[in-house]
Coordinates of all heavy atoms in Angstrom, one line a residue:
M1 N 21.1 8.5 -11.3 CA 21.9 8.3 -12.5 C 21.1 8.9 -13.7 O 19.9 8.6 -13.8 CB 22.2 6.9 -12.7 CG 23.2 6.6 -13.8 SD 23.6 4.9 -13.7 CE 25.3 5.0 -14.0
G2 N 21.7 9.6 -14.6 CA 21.0 10.1 -15.8 C 21.8 9.9 -17.0 O 23.0 9.3 -17.0
V3 N 21.3 10.3 -18.1 CA 22.0 10.1 -19.4 C 22.7 11.4 -19.7 O 22.1 12.5 -19.7 CB 21.0 9.8 -20.6 CG1 21.7 9.8 -21.9 CG2 20.3 8.5 -20.3
S4 N 24.0 11.4 -20.0 CA 24.7 12.6 -20.3 C 25.2 12.6 -21.7 O 25.6 13.7 -22.2 CB 25.9 12.8 -19.3 OG 26.8 11.8 -19.4
T5 N 25.3 11.4 -22.3 CA 25.9 11.4 -23.7 C 25.1 10.3 -24.5 O 24.7 9.3 -24.0 CB 27.4 10.9 -23.7 OG1 28.1 11.8 -22.8 CG2 28.0 10.9 -25.0
C6 N 24.9 10.6 -25.7 CA 24.2 9.7 -26.7 C 25.1 9.5 -27.8 O 25.6 10.5 -28.4 CB 22.9 10.4 -27.1 SG 22.0 9.3 -28.3
T7 N 25.4 8.2 -28.2 CA 26.2 7.9 -29.3 C 25.4 7.3 -30.4 O 24.6 6.4 -30.1 CB 27.3 6.9 -28.9 OG1 28.0 7.5 -27.8 CG2 28.3 6.6 -30.0
L8 N 25.6 7.7 -31.7 CA 24.7 7.3 -32.7 C 25.6 6.8 -33.9 O 26.7 7.3 -34.1 CB 23.9 8.5 -33.3 CG 23.0 9.2 -32.3 CD1 22.5 10.5 -33.0 CD2 21.9 8.3 -31.9
F9 N 25.2 5.7 -34.5 CA 25.9 5.1 -35.6 C 24.9 5.0 -36.8 O 23.8 4.6 -36.7 CB 26.4 3.7 -35.3 CG 27.4 3.7 -34.2 CD1 27.1 3.5 -32.9 CD2 28.8 4.0 -34.5 CE1 28.1 3.5 -31.9 CE2 29.7 4.0 -33.5 CZ 29.4 3.8 -32.2
S10 N 25.5 5.1 -38.0 CA 24.9 4.7 -39.2 C 25.9 3.8 -39.8 O 26.9 3.4 -39.3 CB 24.5 5.8 -40.1 OG 25.7 6.5 -40.6
K11 N 25.7 3.4 -41.1 CA 26.6 2.5 -41.8 C 28.1 3.0 -41.9 O 29.0 2.3 -41.6 CB 26.2 2.2 -43.2 CG 25.9 0.8 -43.4 CD 25.6 0.4 -44.7 CE 25.6 -1.1 -44.9 NZ 25.1 -1.6 -46.1
K12 N 28.3 4.3 -42.1 CA 29.6 4.7 -42.3 C 29.9 6.1 -41.5 O 30.8 6.8 -41.9 CB 30.0 4.9 -43.8 CG 30.0 3.6 -44.5 CD 30.9 3.6 -45.6 CE 31.0 2.3 -46.2 NZ 32.2 2.0 -47.0
T13 N 29.0 6.4 -40.6 CA 29.2 7.6 -39.8 C 29.0 7.3 -38.3 O 28.3 6.3 -38.0 CB 28.4 8.8 -40.2 OG1 27.0 8.4 -40.1 CG2 28.6 9.2 -41.6
C14 N 29.5 8.1 -37.4 CA 29.2 7.9 -36.1 C 29.2 9.4 -35.5 O 29.8 10.3 -36.0 CB 30.1 7.1 -35.3 SG 31.8 7.7 -35.2
G15 N 28.5 9.6 -34.4 CA 28.4 10.9 -33.8 C 28.0 10.7 -32.3 O 27.6 9.6 -31.9
Y16 N 28.2 11.8 -31.6 CA 27.7 11.8 -30.2 C 27.1 13.2 -29.9 O 27.4 14.2 -30.6 CB 28.9 11.5 -29.2 CG 29.7 12.7 -28.8 CD1 29.5 13.2 -27.5 CD2 30.6 13.3 -29.7 CE1 30.3 14.4 -27.1 CE2 31.3 14.4 -29.3 CZ 31.2 14.9 -28.0 OH 31.9 16.0 -27.6
A17 N 26.3 13.2 -28.9 CA 25.6 14.4 -28.5 C 25.6 14.5 -27.0 O 25.3 13.5 -26.3 CB 24.2 14.5 -29.1
T18 N 25.9 15.6 -26.5 CA 25.7 15.9 -25.1 C 24.8 17.1 -25.0 O 24.3 17.7 -26.0 CB 27.0 16.3 -24.4 OG1 27.5 17.5 -24.9 CG2 28.1 15.2 -24.6
R19 N 24.5 17.6 -23.8 CA 23.7 18.7 -23.6 C 24.4 20.0 -24.2 O 23.7 20.9 -24.7 CB 23.3 19.0 -22.2 CG 22.4 17.9 -21.6 CD 22.1 18.3 -20.1 NE 21.2 17.2 -19.6 CZ 21.6 16.2 -19.0 NH1 22.9 16.0 -18.8 NH2 20.7 15.3 -18.6
E20 N 25.7 20.0 -24.3 CA 26.4 21.2 -24.7 C 26.9 21.1 -26.1 O 27.2 22.1 -26.7 CB 27.7 21.3 -23.8 CG 27.4 21.6 -22.4 CD 27.2 20.3 -21.6 OE1 27.7 19.2 -21.9 OE2 26.5 20.4 -20.5
D21 N 27.1 19.9 -26.7 CA 27.8 19.8 -28.0 C 27.3 18.6 -28.8 O 26.8 17.7 -28.3 CB 29.3 19.6 -27.7 CG 30.2 19.9 -28.8 OD1 29.7 20.4 -29.9 OD2 31.4 19.5 -28.8
V22 N 27.6 18.6 -30.1 CA 27.4 17.6 -31.0 C 28.6 17.4 -31.9 O 29.1 18.4 -32.4 CB 26.1 17.8 -31.9 CG1 25.9 16.7 -32.9 CG2 24.8 17.9 -31.0
E23 N 29.0 16.2 -32.2 CA 30.1 16.0 -33.1 C 29.8 14.8 -33.9 O 29.4 13.8 -33.5 CB 31.4 15.9 -32.4 CG 32.6 15.9 -33.3 CD 33.9 16.1 -32.5 OE1 33.9 16.5 -31.4 OE2 35.0 15.8 -33.2
I24 N 30.2 14.9 -35.2 CA 29.9 13.8 -36.2 C 31.2 13.5 -36.9 O 31.9 14.3 -37.3 CB 28.8 14.1 -37.2 CG1 27.5 14.3 -36.4 CG2 28.7 13.0 -38.2 CD1 26.4 14.8 -37.3
H25 N 31.5 12.2 -37.1 CA 32.6 11.8 -37.9 C 32.2 10.9 -39.1 O 31.4 10.0 -38.8 CB 33.7 11.0 -37.0 CG 35.0 10.9 -37.8 ND1 35.9 11.8 -37.9 CD2 35.4 9.8 -38.5 CE1 36.9 11.4 -38.6 NE2 36.7 10.1 -39.0
D26 N 32.6 11.2 -40.2 CA 32.2 10.5 -41.4 C 33.3 9.6 -41.9 O 34.4 10.1 -42.2 CB 31.8 11.6 -42.5 CG 31.2 10.9 -43.7 OD1 31.2 9.7 -43.8 OD2 30.8 11.7 -44.6
F27 N 33.1 8.3 -42.1 CA 34.1 7.4 -42.6 C 33.8 7.0 -44.1 O 34.4 6.1 -44.6 CB 34.0 6.1 -41.8 CG 34.4 6.2 -40.4 CD1 33.5 6.2 -39.4 CD2 35.7 6.5 -40.1 CE1 33.8 6.4 -38.0 CE2 36.1 6.6 -38.7 CZ 35.1 6.6 -37.7
T28 N 33.0 7.8 -44.8 CA 32.6 7.4 -46.2 C 33.8 7.5 -47.1 O 33.8 6.8 -48.2 CB 31.5 8.2 -46.7 OG1 31.8 9.6 -46.6 CG2 30.2 7.9 -46.0
D29 N 34.8 8.3 -46.8 CA 36.0 8.4 -47.7 C 36.9 7.2 -47.5 O 37.9 7.1 -48.3 CB 36.7 9.7 -47.6 CG 37.2 9.9 -46.1 OD1 36.8 9.2 -45.3 OD2 38.1 10.8 -46.0
D30 N 36.7 6.3 -46.6 CA 37.6 5.2 -46.3 C 37.0 4.0 -46.9 O 36.0 3.4 -46.4 CB 37.8 5.0 -44.8 CG 38.9 4.1 -44.5 OD1 39.2 3.2 -45.3 OD2 39.6 4.3 -43.5
Q31 N 37.5 3.5 -48.0 CA 37.0 2.3 -48.7 C 37.3 1.0 -48.0 O 36.8 0.0 -48.4 CB 37.5 2.3 -50.1 CG 37.1 3.5 -50.9 CD 35.6 3.8 -50.9 OE1 34.8 2.9 -51.1 NE2 35.2 4.9 -50.8
S32 N 38.2 1.1 -47.0 CA 38.7 -0.2 -46.3 C 37.7 -0.7 -45.2 O 38.0 -1.7 -44.7 CB 40.1 0.0 -45.8 OG 40.0 1.0 -44.7
M33 N 36.7 0.1 -44.9 CA 35.8 -0.4 -43.9 C 34.8 -1.5 -44.4 O 33.9 -1.2 -45.1 CB 35.0 0.8 -43.3 CG 34.2 0.3 -42.1 SD 33.5 1.7 -41.1 CE 32.6 2.6 -42.3
K34 N 35.1 -2.7 -44.0 CA 34.3 -3.8 -44.5 C 33.2 -4.2 -43.5 O 32.2 -4.8 -43.9 CB 35.2 -5.0 -44.7 CG 36.3 -4.8 -45.8 CD 35.8 -4.6 -47.1 CE 37.0 -4.5 -48.0 NZ 36.8 -3.5 -49.1
N35 N 33.5 -4.0 -42.2 CA 32.5 -4.5 -41.2 C 32.1 -3.4 -40.3 O 32.8 -3.1 -39.3 CB 33.2 -5.7 -40.4 CG 32.2 -6.3 -39.5 OD1 31.1 -5.8 -39.3 ND2 32.7 -7.4 -38.8
P36 N 31.0 -2.7 -40.6 CA 30.6 -1.5 -39.7 C 30.4 -2.0 -38.2 O 30.6 -1.2 -37.3 CB 29.3 -1.1 -40.4 CG 29.3 -1.5 -41.8 CD 30.2 -2.9 -41.7
A37 N 30.0 -3.2 -38.0 CA 29.8 -3.7 -36.7 C 31.1 -3.7 -35.8 O 31.1 -3.3 -34.7 CB 29.1 -5.1 -36.6
S38 N 32.1 -4.2 -36.4 CA 33.5 -4.1 -35.7 C 34.0 -2.6 -35.4 O 34.5 -2.4 -34.5 CB 34.5 -4.9 -36.5 OG 34.8 -4.2 -37.7
V39 N 33.6 -1.8 -36.4 CA 33.9 -0.3 -36.2 C 33.1 0.3 -35.0 O 33.7 1.0 -34.1 CB 33.6 0.5 -37.4 CG1 33.7 2.0 -37.2 CG2 34.6 0.0 -38.5
R40 N 31.8 -0.1 -34.9 CA 31.1 0.3 -33.8 C 31.6 -0.2 -32.4 O 31.6 0.5 -31.5 CB 29.5 -0.1 -34.0 CG 28.9 0.7 -35.1 CD 27.4 0.5 -35.1 NE 27.0 -0.9 -35.6 CZ 26.8 -1.2 -36.8 NH1 26.9 -0.2 -37.7 NH2 26.5 -2.4 -37.2
T41 N 32.0 -1.5 -32.5 CA 32.6 -2.0 -31.3 C 33.9 -1.3 -30.9 O 34.1 -1.0 -29.7 CB 32.9 -3.6 -31.5 OG1 31.7 -4.2 -31.8 CG2 33.4 -4.2 -30.3
A42 N 34.8 -1.0 -31.8 CA 36.0 -0.4 -31.5 C 35.7 1.0 -30.9 O 36.3 1.5 -30.0 CB 36.9 -0.3 -32.8
F43 N 34.7 1.7 -31.6 CA 34.4 3.1 -31.1 C 33.8 3.0 -29.7 O 34.2 3.7 -28.8 CB 33.4 3.7 -32.1 CG 32.9 5.0 -31.7 CD1 33.6 6.2 -32.2 CD2 31.9 5.2 -30.7 CE1 33.2 7.5 -31.8 CE2 31.5 6.5 -30.4 CZ 32.1 7.6 -30.8
S44 N 32.8 2.2 -29.5 CA 32.2 2.1 -28.2 C 33.1 1.7 -27.0 O 33.1 2.3 -26.0 CB 31.0 1.1 -28.3 OG 30.1 1.6 -29.2
T45 N 34.0 0.7 -27.4 CA 35.0 0.3 -26.4 C 35.9 1.4 -26.0 O 36.1 1.7 -24.8 CB 35.7 -0.9 -26.9 OG1 34.8 -2.0 -27.3 CG2 36.7 -1.4 -25.9
A46 N 36.4 2.0 -26.9 CA 37.4 3.1 -26.7 C 36.7 4.3 -25.9 O 37.2 4.9 -25.0 CB 38.1 3.7 -27.9
Y47 N 35.5 4.6 -26.4 CA 34.7 5.7 -25.8 C 34.4 5.4 -24.2 O 34.6 6.3 -23.4 CB 33.4 6.0 -26.6 CG 32.7 7.2 -26.2 CD1 33.0 8.4 -26.8 CD2 31.7 7.2 -25.2 CE1 32.3 9.6 -26.5 CE2 31.1 8.4 -24.9 CZ 31.4 9.6 -25.5 OH 30.7 10.7 -25.2
A48 N 33.9 4.2 -24.0 CA 33.5 3.8 -22.7 C 34.8 3.7 -21.8 O 34.8 4.2 -20.7 CB 32.8 2.4 -22.7
A49 N 35.9 3.1 -22.3 CA 37.1 3.0 -21.6 C 37.7 4.4 -21.2 O 38.1 4.6 -20.0 CB 38.2 2.3 -22.4
A50 N 37.6 5.4 -22.1 CA 38.1 6.7 -21.9 C 37.2 7.3 -20.7 O 37.8 8.0 -19.8 CB 38.0 7.6 -23.1
A51 N 36.0 7.1 -20.7 CA 35.1 7.6 -19.7 C 35.4 7.0 -18.4 O 35.5 7.7 -17.3 CB 33.6 7.4 -20.1
L52 N 35.6 5.7 -18.4 CA 36.0 5.0 -17.1 C 37.3 5.4 -16.6 O 37.5 5.4 -15.4 CB 35.9 3.5 -17.3 CG 34.5 2.9 -17.5 CD1 34.7 1.4 -17.9 CD2 33.7 3.0 -16.3
L53 N 38.2 5.8 -17.5 CA 39.5 6.3 -17.0 C 39.5 7.8 -16.5 O 40.5 8.3 -16.1 CB 40.5 6.2 -18.1 CG 40.9 4.7 -18.5 CD1 41.8 4.7 -19.8 CD2 41.8 4.2 -17.3
G54 N 38.3 8.4 -16.7 CA 38.2 9.8 -16.2 C 38.7 10.8 -17.2 O 38.9 12.0 -16.8
I55 N 38.9 10.4 -18.5 CA 39.2 11.4 -19.5 C 38.0 12.3 -19.8 O 36.9 11.8 -19.8 CB 39.7 10.6 -20.7 CG1 40.9 9.8 -20.4 CG2 39.8 11.5 -22.0 CD1 41.4 8.9 -21.5
S56 N 38.3 13.5 -19.9 CA 37.3 14.5 -20.1 C 36.3 14.2 -21.3 O 36.8 13.6 -22.3 CB 37.8 15.9 -20.3 OG 38.5 16.0 -21.6
Q57 N 35.1 14.5 -21.2 CA 34.1 14.2 -22.2 C 34.5 14.7 -23.6 O 34.3 14.1 -24.6 CB 32.7 14.7 -21.7 CG 31.6 14.0 -22.5 CD 30.2 14.4 -21.9 OE1 30.0 15.5 -21.5 NE2 29.4 13.4 -21.9
E58 N 35.1 15.9 -23.6 CA 35.4 16.5 -24.9 C 36.5 15.7 -25.6 O 36.7 15.8 -26.8 CB 35.8 18.0 -24.7 CG 37.1 18.2 -24.0 CD 37.0 19.3 -22.9 OE1 35.9 19.8 -22.7 OE2 38.0 19.7 -22.4
C59 N 37.3 14.9 -24.8 CA 38.4 14.1 -25.4 C 38.0 12.7 -25.7 O 38.7 12.0 -26.4 CB 39.6 14.2 -24.4 SG 40.4 15.8 -24.3
Q60 N 36.9 12.3 -25.2 CA 36.5 10.9 -25.4 C 36.2 10.6 -26.8 O 36.5 9.6 -27.3 CB 35.3 10.6 -24.5 CG 35.6 10.5 -23.0 CD 34.3 10.5 -22.2 OE1 33.2 10.2 -22.7 NE2 34.5 10.8 -20.9
F61 N 35.5 11.5 -27.5 CA 35.1 11.3 -28.9 C 36.3 11.2 -29.8 O 36.4 10.3 -30.6 CB 34.1 12.4 -29.4 CG 33.5 12.1 -30.7 CD1 32.5 11.1 -30.9 CD2 33.9 12.8 -31.8 CE1 32.0 10.8 -32.1 CE2 33.3 12.6 -33.1 CZ 32.4 11.6 -33.2
P62 N 37.2 12.2 -29.7 CA 38.4 12.1 -30.6 C 39.2 10.8 -30.3 O 39.8 10.3 -31.2 CB 39.2 13.4 -30.2 CG 38.2 14.3 -29.7 CD 37.2 13.5 -29.0
L63 N 39.3 10.4 -29.1 CA 40.0 9.1 -28.8 C 39.3 7.9 -29.4 O 39.9 7.1 -30.0 CB 40.1 8.9 -27.3 CG 41.2 9.5 -26.5 CD1 41.0 9.4 -25.1 CD2 42.5 9.0 -27.0
A64 N 38.0 7.9 -29.4 CA 37.2 6.9 -30.0 C 37.4 6.8 -31.5 O 37.5 5.8 -32.1 CB 35.8 6.9 -29.6
I65 N 37.4 8.0 -32.1 CA 37.6 8.1 -33.6 C 39.1 7.6 -33.9 O 39.2 6.8 -34.9 CB 37.5 9.6 -34.0 CG1 36.0 10.0 -33.9 CG2 38.0 9.7 -35.5 CD1 35.0 9.2 -34.7
A66 N 40.0 8.0 -33.1 CA 41.4 7.5 -33.4 C 41.5 6.0 -33.2 O 42.1 5.3 -34.0 CB 42.4 8.1 -32.4
A67 N 40.7 5.4 -32.3 CA 40.6 4.0 -32.2 C 40.0 3.3 -33.4 O 40.5 2.3 -33.9 CB 39.7 3.6 -30.9
V68 N 39.0 3.9 -34.0 CA 38.4 3.4 -35.2 C 39.4 3.5 -36.4 O 39.5 2.6 -37.2 CB 37.1 4.1 -35.5 CG1 36.5 3.7 -36.8 CG2 36.0 3.8 -34.4
E69 N 40.0 4.6 -36.5 CA 41.0 4.8 -37.5 C 42.1 3.7 -37.5 O 42.5 3.2 -38.5 CB 41.5 6.2 -37.5 CG 40.6 7.2 -38.0 CD 41.0 8.6 -37.7 OE1 42.0 8.8 -37.0 OE2 40.3 9.6 -38.3
C70 N 42.6 3.4 -36.2 CA 43.6 2.4 -36.1 C 42.9 1.1 -36.4 O 43.6 0.2 -37.0 CB 44.0 2.4 -34.7 SG 45.1 3.7 -34.1
H71 N 41.8 0.8 -36.0 CA 41.1 -0.5 -36.3 C 40.9 -0.7 -37.8 O 41.2 -1.8 -38.3 CB 39.7 -0.4 -35.6 CG 38.9 -1.7 -35.8 ND1 39.2 -2.9 -35.2 CD2 37.9 -1.9 -36.7 CE1 38.3 -3.8 -35.6 NE2 37.5 -3.3 -36.5
I72 N 40.6 0.3 -38.5 CA 40.4 0.2 -39.9 C 41.7 -0.1 -40.6 O 41.8 -0.9 -41.5 CB 39.7 1.5 -40.5 CG1 38.2 1.5 -40.1 CG2 39.8 1.6 -42.0 CD1 37.6 2.8 -40.4
T73 N 42.8 0.7 -40.2 CA 44.0 0.5 -41.0 C 44.8 -0.7 -40.6 O 45.5 -1.3 -41.3 CB 45.0 1.7 -40.7 OG1 45.2 1.9 -39.3 CG2 44.3 3.0 -41.3
K74 N 44.7 -1.1 -39.3 CA 45.5 -2.3 -38.8 C 44.6 -3.6 -38.8 O 45.2 -4.7 -38.6 CB 46.0 -2.0 -37.4 CG 46.9 -0.9 -37.3 CD 47.6 -0.9 -36.0 CE 48.4 0.4 -35.8 NZ 49.5 0.6 -36.7
K75 N 43.4 -3.5 -39.1 CA 42.4 -4.6 -39.1 C 42.4 -5.4 -37.8 O 42.1 -6.6 -37.9 CB 42.8 -5.6 -40.4 CG 43.0 -4.9 -41.6 CD 41.7 -4.5 -42.2 CE 41.8 -4.0 -43.7 NZ 41.6 -2.7 -44.0
S76 N 42.7 -4.7 -36.8 CA 42.5 -5.4 -35.4 C 42.3 -4.3 -34.4 O 42.3 -3.1 -34.7 CB 43.9 -6.1 -35.1 OG 44.9 -5.1 -34.9
N77 N 41.8 -4.8 -33.2 CA 41.6 -3.8 -32.2 C 42.9 -3.2 -31.7 O 43.8 -3.9 -31.3 CB 40.9 -4.5 -31.0 CG 39.5 -5.0 -31.4 OD1 38.8 -4.2 -32.1 ND2 39.1 -6.1 -31.0
P78 N 42.9 -1.8 -31.7 CA 44.2 -1.2 -31.3 C 44.4 -1.1 -29.8 O 43.5 -1.2 -28.9 CB 44.0 0.3 -31.8 CG 42.4 0.4 -31.7 CD 41.8 -0.9 -32.0
S79 N 45.6 -0.9 -29.4 CA 46.0 -0.7 -28.0 C 46.0 0.9 -27.8 O 45.9 1.6 -28.7 CB 47.4 -1.2 -27.7 OG 48.4 -0.5 -28.5
W80 N 46.1 1.2 -26.5 CA 46.2 2.7 -26.2 C 47.4 3.3 -26.9 O 47.4 4.4 -27.3 CB 46.2 2.9 -24.7 CG 44.9 2.8 -24.1 CD1 44.5 1.8 -23.1 CD2 43.7 3.5 -24.3 NE1 43.2 1.9 -22.8 CE2 42.6 3.0 -23.5 CE3 43.4 4.6 -25.1 CZ2 41.3 3.4 -23.4 CZ3 42.0 5.1 -25.1 CH2 41.1 4.6 -24.3
V81 N 48.5 2.5 -26.9 CA 49.8 3.0 -27.5 C 49.5 3.3 -29.0 O 50.0 4.4 -29.5 CB 50.9 2.0 -27.4 CG1 52.1 2.3 -28.1 CG2 51.2 1.8 -25.9
E82 N 48.8 2.4 -29.7 CA 48.5 2.6 -31.2 C 47.6 3.8 -31.3 O 47.7 4.6 -32.2 CB 47.9 1.4 -31.7 CG 48.9 0.2 -31.8 CD 48.3 -1.1 -32.2 OE1 47.1 -1.4 -31.7 OE2 48.8 -1.8 -33.0
I83 N 46.7 3.9 -30.4 CA 45.7 5.1 -30.5 C 46.5 6.4 -30.3 O 46.3 7.4 -31.1 CB 44.5 4.9 -29.5 CG1 43.7 3.8 -29.9 CG2 43.7 6.2 -29.4 CD1 42.7 3.4 -28.8
D84 N 47.3 6.4 -29.3 CA 48.2 7.6 -29.0 C 49.1 7.9 -30.3 O 49.2 9.1 -30.7 CB 49.0 7.3 -27.8 CG 49.9 8.5 -27.5 OD1 49.4 9.6 -27.1 OD2 51.2 8.3 -27.6
E85 N 49.7 6.9 -30.9 CA 50.5 7.1 -32.0 C 49.7 7.7 -33.2 O 50.2 8.6 -33.9 CB 51.1 5.7 -32.4 CG 52.1 5.8 -33.6 CD 52.6 4.5 -33.9 OE1 53.2 3.8 -33.1 OE2 52.4 4.0 -35.1
N86 N 48.5 7.2 -33.4 CA 47.7 7.7 -34.4 C 47.3 9.2 -34.2 O 47.4 10.0 -35.2 CB 46.4 6.9 -34.4 CG 45.3 7.4 -35.5 OD1 44.7 8.4 -35.3 ND2 45.2 6.7 -36.6
I87 N 47.0 9.6 -33.0 CA 46.7 11.0 -32.7 C 47.9 11.9 -32.9 O 47.9 12.9 -33.5 CB 46.2 11.1 -31.3 CG1 44.8 10.4 -31.2 CG2 46.1 12.6 -30.8 CD1 44.3 10.3 -29.7
R88 N 49.1 11.4 -32.5 CA 50.3 12.2 -32.6 C 50.7 12.3 -34.1 O 51.1 13.4 -34.5 CB 51.5 11.5 -31.9 CG 51.3 11.6 -30.3 CD 52.5 10.9 -29.6 NE 52.2 10.8 -28.2 CZ 52.4 11.8 -27.3 NH1 53.0 12.9 -27.7 NH2 52.1 11.6 -26.0
Q89 N 50.5 11.3 -34.9 CA 50.7 11.4 -36.3 C 49.9 12.5 -37.0 O 50.2 13.2 -37.8 CB 50.6 10.1 -37.0 CG 51.8 9.1 -36.7 CD 51.5 7.8 -37.3 OE1 50.5 7.5 -38.0 NE2 52.6 6.9 -37.1
K90 N 48.6 12.5 -36.6 CA 47.6 13.4 -37.1 C 48.0 14.9 -36.7 O 47.9 15.8 -37.6 CB 46.2 13.1 -36.7 CG 45.7 11.9 -37.4 CD 44.3 11.6 -36.8 CE 43.3 12.3 -37.7 NZ 41.9 11.9 -37.3
L91 N 48.4 15.0 -35.4 CA 48.9 16.3 -35.0 C 50.1 16.8 -35.8 O 50.2 18.0 -36.1 CB 49.1 16.3 -33.5 CG 47.9 16.2 -32.6 CD1 48.4 16.0 -31.1 CD2 47.0 17.3 -32.8
L92 N 51.0 16.0 -36.1 CA 52.2 16.3 -36.8 C 51.9 16.7 -38.3 O 52.5 17.7 -38.8 CB 53.3 15.2 -36.8 CG 54.0 14.9 -35.5 CD1 54.9 13.7 -35.6 CD2 54.8 16.1 -35.2
K93 N 50.9 16.0 -38.9 CA 50.5 16.4 -40.2 C 49.8 17.7 -40.2 O 49.8 18.4 -41.3 CB 49.5 15.3 -40.8 CG 50.2 14.0 -41.1 CD 49.2 13.0 -41.6 CE 49.9 11.6 -41.8 NZ 48.9 10.6 -42.2
N94 N 49.0 18.1 -39.2 CA 48.3 19.3 -39.2 C 49.2 20.5 -38.8 O 48.7 21.6 -38.9 CB 47.1 19.2 -38.2 CG 46.1 18.3 -38.7 OD1 46.0 18.1 -39.9 ND2 45.3 17.6 -37.8
D95 N 50.4 20.3 -38.4 CA 51.3 21.4 -38.1 C 51.9 22.0 -39.2 O 52.1 21.6 -40.2 CB 52.4 21.0 -37.1 CG 51.9 20.8 -35.6 OD1 50.8 21.4 -35.3 OD2 52.6 20.2 -34.8

């Protein structure tokens, strides 16, 4: 067993690194984040659950970010349905 992904957190940012890629997400523009620890928990839980479900590594980080965004706006831990809805709304806005 080896390490394939490293996840990093600071107060208002999170990121992950693999051998192939690095991605960072910045939450500093969201003034509603009161508890960074709960954000880390939402991120880590969604990221790990996605990995356990066999979701590709390149999709795990965006899913975890969507979970955090839901967590921040709804002030509770999101369901997969809420995470999916968040992603679909963002896709519609970007079209």
Side-chain angles (χ1 to χ4, degrees):
M1 186 174 224
V3 176
S4 63
T5 305
C6 177
T7 307
L8 306 168
F9 293 97
S10 70
K11 242 184 168 175
K12 295 208 176 203
T13 61
C14 65
Y16 87 106
T18 66
R19 289 182 182 93
E20 298 83 25
D21 196 15
V22 174
E23 190 168 342
I24 297 171
H25 190 81
D26 185 357
F27 296 107
T28 55
D29 61 344
D30 192 331
Q31 301 302 316
S32 65
M33 185 167 59
K34 304 288 187 221
N35 185 356
S38 67
V39 170
R40 289 191 288 272
T41 300
F43 178 93
S44 298
T45 302
Y47 191 88
L52 290 171
L53 289 170
I55 294 171
S56 70
Q57 198 170 39
E58 68 225 11
C59 295
Q60 292 169 12
F61 188 75
L63 278 170
I65 294 300
V68 169
E69 289 170 346
C70 287
H71 178 76
I72 289 171
T73 58
K74 298 191 185 302
K75 309 288 190 245
S76 65
N77 293 321
S79 68
W80 285 116
V81 172
E82 292 169 319
I83 294 168
D84 179 65
E85 182 181 305
N86 177 283
I87 291 169
R88 290 176 189 275
Q89 286 176 358
K90 287 177 91 174
L91 289 172
L92 287 174
K93 287 180 187 177
N94 291 333
D95 281 345

